[in-house]
Amino acid sequence: MKVLLFNGSPRANGCTFTALSEIAKTLNAENIETEILQIGNKPVQDCIGCGGCAGKGKCVFNNDCVNEWIEKAKSADGFVFGAPVYYAHPSGRILSAMDRLFYAAGGQFAQKPVAVIVSARRAGTTASLETLSTYFTQNQMPVISSTYWNMVHGNTPEETVQDLEGMQTMRNLARNLAWIVQCIEAGKKSGIAAPKAETSARTNFIR
């Protein structure tokens, strides 16, 4: 079993990475393989709503991390998305990446457990968590919680590890995620299939 952790910060080893690393370490202790994927500091293409991804399972733009992430998602059992907070909002690059990930390959994420974590110096964390969670709640993904909101505080990695409750929240989140991943795997082995969603009804408000 494997969980992918997406670092939506341009800083490879910053505060968001510190929180994700704590999650990965705890998942590893629960016999879950992990990989942290770094979005980097190069431009990430916005989704332009072209529809070119329809039926192809990948984005038409191939000049950044998105299609690589889609390929890795195919064999993953769970996910954690992490982002820094900019002006009470997640970083723009992680939103651009997630728009394209879920438009082009939502099926690779559907019905797999997911968590989101955010990092901030002080505020804007709950608004950022809400924004990121909307991708999951319309894609049939079990969203994993912890013993507090999934956030850490600090201006540097060294400060982040001093947020003792925040780091504790990351570890408890990881244990909950490991438990759900293992339960789903056990269910599959017992012959319990994923539910089939109804998709025929689509209501347009303006005709």
Side-chain angles (χ1 to χ4, degrees), residues 1 33 35 131 136-137 160 193:
M1 293 171 285
E33 182 184 352
E35 182 178 1
T131 297
F136 318 136
T137 53
T160 300

Side-chain angles (χ1 to χ4, degrees), residues 3-6 20 23 27 77-83 98 102 109 112-118 129 132-133 136 141-146 150 169-170 172-178 180-181:
V3 168
L4 295 179
L5 301 97
F6 301 94
L20 291 174
I23 294 171
L27 286 169
D77 301 290
F79 309 97
V80 180
F81 287 85
M98 290 175 72
F102 284 86
F109 295 87
K112 296 178 181 179
V114 64
V116 59
I117 65 103
V118 294
L129 287 173
L132 291 167
S133 294
F136 318 136
M141 301 178 76
V143 181
I144 308 302
S145 60
S146 186
N150 301 338
T169 300
M170 298 301 106
N172 289 332
L173 172 67
R175 294 185 186 103
N176 288 339
L177 177 56
I180 295 298
V181 167

Side-chain angles (χ1 to χ4, degrees), residues 61-137:
F61 296 111
N62 203 33
N63 56 352
D64 53 32
C65 61
V66 169
N67 283 330
E68 175 192 348
W69 287 7
I70 289 172
E71 283 302 309
K72 289 181 178 290
K74 292 177 180 179
S75 58
D77 301 290
F79 309 97
V80 180
F81 287 85
V85 173
Y86 296 164
Y87 288 94
H89 200 261
S91 68
R93 64 181 54 247
I94 191 62
L95 294 177
S96 294
M98 290 175 72
D99 281 348
R100 290 165 54 213
L101 281 173
F102 284 86
Y103 266 118
Q108 303 302 334
F109 295 87
Q111 297 174 326
K112 296 178 181 179
V114 64
V116 59
I117 65 103
V118 294
S119 167
R121 183 192 69 83
R122 184 172 176 86
T125 45
T126 51
S128 297
L129 287 173
E130 182 177 3
T131 297
L132 291 167
S133 294
T134 58
Y135 290 90
F136 318 136
T137 53

Side-chain angles (χ1 to χ4, degrees), residues 1 182-193:
M1 293 171 285
Q182 291 162 348
C183 285
I184 291 174
E185 182 65 18
K188 290 178 182 177
K189 291 178 179 178
S190 298
I192 300 174

Side-chain angles (χ1 to χ4, degrees), residues 26-42:
T26 307
L27 286 169
N28 295 157
E30 298 286 337
N31 297 314
I32 304 290
E33 182 184 352
T34 58
E35 182 178 1
I36 298 178
L37 301 173
Q38 164 67 19
I39 200 167
N41 56 13
K42 295 181 180 179

